[in-house]
Amino acid sequence: MLKIDLLEIPVKDIVDSYLDAGVNGVTGYHGKLNIRPPYQREFVYKEQQRNAVIDTIWKGFPLNVMYWVQTKGDSFDSPDAEFEILDGQQRTISFCQFCANEFMMILNGNLKTFLSLTEDEKNKILDYKCMIYICKGSDSEKLEWFRVINTAGEKLTDQELRNACYPGAWLTSAKAQFSKPGCAAYSLGSKYLSGSPIRQDYLETAINWIRQEKGMASIEEYMLTHQADPNSVELWNYYSNVINWVMALFPTYRSQMKGIDWGVLYNKYHSNVYDPTTLEDEVRKLMEDDEVENKKGIYEYVFDRLEKHLNLRTFSESQKNKAYNKQGGICPRCVSMNKPTKTKVWDISEMEADHITPWHAGGKTEDDNCQMLCKTCNREKGGH
Ligand SMILES: [Zn+2]
């Protein structure tokens, strides 16, 4: 069950053992608090906001409540307790940096560093009590709660929230492979994935692909299932299979290949046999085809043949008007099918433009290939 405690923790405890190890994370609170987890993006906090935090503490005014997640240990004060900051990262880093003498600011009208303060002044800051909610509970409860509080404060991405919920050896291993700047997942697949490792986009994408392959309902389900695994070898192997499959099928790289849901295509089609030369011929023709407006969709189209991926060109309003006037408002298909409506003069709003010769048979979106059909006929003809 979700358990949330409100504690008052003095600044001096939080700044104890403060360590900023760059991409390897920022820690504090006797080394038990993950202030910024390794390989998570850094928030940009302006000098003005940073100084406002110190000024608030200096004056003894309340800072907004902060949120920690307990990631290890049975209770708040058990010796093996560990925590991660969910909300309040920037405020915490601000006072940690000030107490570590890393910046100076104007206090009482004078430029001060922490070391230049009197003992009384130092203690005023060190004894200041931060209001902190510490949360412990099942992962799904925590995630739900995190999403609610994440609407205020310094926003985390969905995957950063999930990472806070499912800590352990599996996550540590997965982050080393998918979340470091220049990580293995980036070296192998940056041409094919969008986003950035440090914002957890690679990790999120890879898990989202593999969980579909495994028939799991959500990214959370995959992370929960594997939370206690000693490493993330399965995820890595899967990811490299996907990227290698793409490179083997489409050896000619095009910029449109970035950001496609390759794992979804891999899951559906990797057991089929395709000839890369045939694929390349087809891709090249479609890339050169002016009728195809969504070039990215080509890579899905060559697998499932659904024209909706291609966003084929449609007739303009003036082309429609021209065809309508030429037809005198009569539907030519009603005539050729000898329907009772063959002599009906339709309003243009009751008609839809149709390619006389469809795209897949070589028809273009040009005046002489345009006819206006009544909606019934257009639907019967097949929705073009
Ligand atoms: Zn008709």
Side-chain angles (χ1 to χ4, degrees):
M1 213 187 72
L2 190 68
K3 190 169 171 289
I4 302 169
D5 291 317
L6 181 60
L7 280 102
E8 293 186 332
I9 303 179
V11 164
K12 65 167 169 273
D13 284 348
I14 300 175
V15 303
D16 182 73
S17 311
Y18 163 70
L19 177 70
D20 182 348
V23 292
N24 292 316
V26 182
T27 51
Y29 192 59
H30 323 299
K32 291 164 176 270
L33 175 66
N34 231 334
I35 296 172
R36 194 182 74 228
Y39 317 128
Q40 188 158 304
R41 75 199 155 114
E42 284 182 63
F43 297 97
V44 184
Y45 213 38
K46 295 195 185 78
E47 187 184 320
Q48 204 182 345
Q49 295 168 290
R50 186 186 68 185
N51 292 355
V53 171
I54 307 305
D55 200 47
T56 302
I57 293 176
W58 176 258
K59 290 174 175 151
F61 293 160
L63 283 176
N64 284 340
V65 75
M66 296 189 262
Y67 297 88
W68 294 4
V69 195
Q70 183 154 7
T71 52
K72 261 191 200 163
D74 292 329
S75 66
F76 165 72
D77 47 7
S78 49
D80 61 340
E82 284 185 21
F83 310 91
E84 199 167 296
I85 292 191
L86 189 68
D87 189 75
Q89 198 181 87
Q90 279 304 332
R91 281 166 281 164
T92 305
I93 289 177
S94 297
F95 63 69
C96 285
Q97 285 181 341
F98 185 73
C99 293
N101 224 39
E102 288 179 17
F103 66 93
M104 53 177 76
M105 61 173 286
I106 292 170
L107 290 167
N108 280 357
N110 295 308
L111 202 53
K112 303 268 187 164
T113 61
F114 184 75
L115 280 180
S116 70
L117 300 176
T118 65
E119 285 310 303
D120 279 356
E121 288 171 332
K122 281 181 192 165
N123 287 334
K124 196 157 84 174
I125 291 177
L126 292 173
D127 292 336
Y128 178 90
K129 289 193 172 68
C130 300
M131 304 288 281
I132 293 165
Y133 277 118
I134 295 185
C135 150
K136 216 173 159 307
S138 82
D139 300 310
S140 59
E141 289 169 328
K142 277 193 288 187
L143 194 60
E144 207 36 58
W145 185 69
F146 293 172
R147 287 200 167 124
V148 174
I149 64 162
N150 194 37
T151 54
E154 301 130 11
K155 279 202 179 173
L156 300 181
T157 65
D158 284 348
Q159 188 58 36
E160 283 165 346
L161 287 174
R162 295 186 196 106
N163 289 355
C165 272
Y166 305 97
W170 178 87
L171 183 64
T172 305
S173 166
K175 283 174 97 176
Q177 288 165 326
F178 290 90
S179 308
K180 269 197 283 188
C183 60
Y186 182 84
S187 307
L188 180 65
S190 63
K191 290 197 312 190
Y192 306 98
L193 272 78
S194 46
S196 91
I198 199 117
R199 298 202 55 173
Q200 313 302 322
D201 296 320
Y202 279 53
L203 184 59
E204 182 174 49
T205 301
I207 303 174
N208 191 36
W209 290 347
I210 196 173
R211 66 97 189 159
Q212 294 178 59
E213 166 90 332
K214 301 203 166 275
M216 292 181 175
S218 63
I219 293 177
E220 291 78 27
E221 186 181 343
Y222 184 86
M223 291 181 76
L224 177 63
T225 308
H226 294 275
Q227 185 175 12
D229 290 3
N231 57 55
S232 56
V233 169
E234 179 190 79
L235 182 66
W236 173 257
N237 286 344
Y238 168 84
Y239 172 81
S240 45
N241 286 344
V242 172
I243 303 299
N244 287 325
W245 178 77
V246 177
M247 293 194 291
L249 282 193
F250 304 101
T252 304
Y253 181 76
R254 291 179 174 86
S255 62
Q256 289 88 354
M257 293 171 79
K258 194 179 175 76
I260 288 175
D261 250 333
W262 288 112
V264 174
L265 295 174
Y266 171 88
N267 296 346
K268 282 193 201 155
Y269 304 111
H270 79 274
S271 48
N272 300 355
V273 177
Y274 298 95
D275 171 30
T277 313
T278 314
L279 284 174
E280 169 58 19
D281 281 350
E282 191 175 12
V283 169
R284 186 172 28 77
K285 272 186 208 121
L286 291 165
M287 286 286 170
E288 290 164 1
D289 187 340
D290 287 339
E291 297 286 323
V292 175
E293 292 192 318
N294 179 26
K295 302 295 186 192
K296 234 183 169 69
I298 291 170
Y299 290 96
E300 277 177 272
Y301 174 78
V302 296
F303 290 107
D304 66 14
R305 304 282 149 196
L306 295 176
E307 289 178 9
K308 65 173 182 182
H309 302 308
L310 301 176
N311 194 12
L312 294 170
R313 277 180 65 197
T314 51
F315 290 106
S316 67
E317 288 310 305
S318 79
Q319 286 176 309
K320 289 181 197 172
N321 276 310
K322 248 186 257 177
Y324 176 83
N325 292 334
K326 207 165 77 186
Q327 294 166 212
I330 303 288
C331 170
R333 192 169 178 278
C334 284
V335 174
S336 64
M337 305 286 288
N338 201 23
K339 289 187 182 183
T341 44
K342 65 183 173 186
T343 55
K344 176 171 174 163
V345 176
W346 302 84
D347 188 83
I348 192 163
S349 66
E350 298 170 310
M351 304 187 96
E352 288 165 346
D354 171 63
H355 289 75
I356 299 169
T357 306
W359 169 77
H360 54 80
K364 303 260 185 246
T365 306
E366 291 165 353
D367 288 1
D368 57 8
N369 195 31
C370 181
Q371 64 181 353
M372 296 300 283
L373 299 181
C374 72
K375 285 181 181 171
T376 310
C377 279
N378 197 38
R379 200 169 50 243
E380 286 168 0
K381 202 193 162 190
H384 288 281

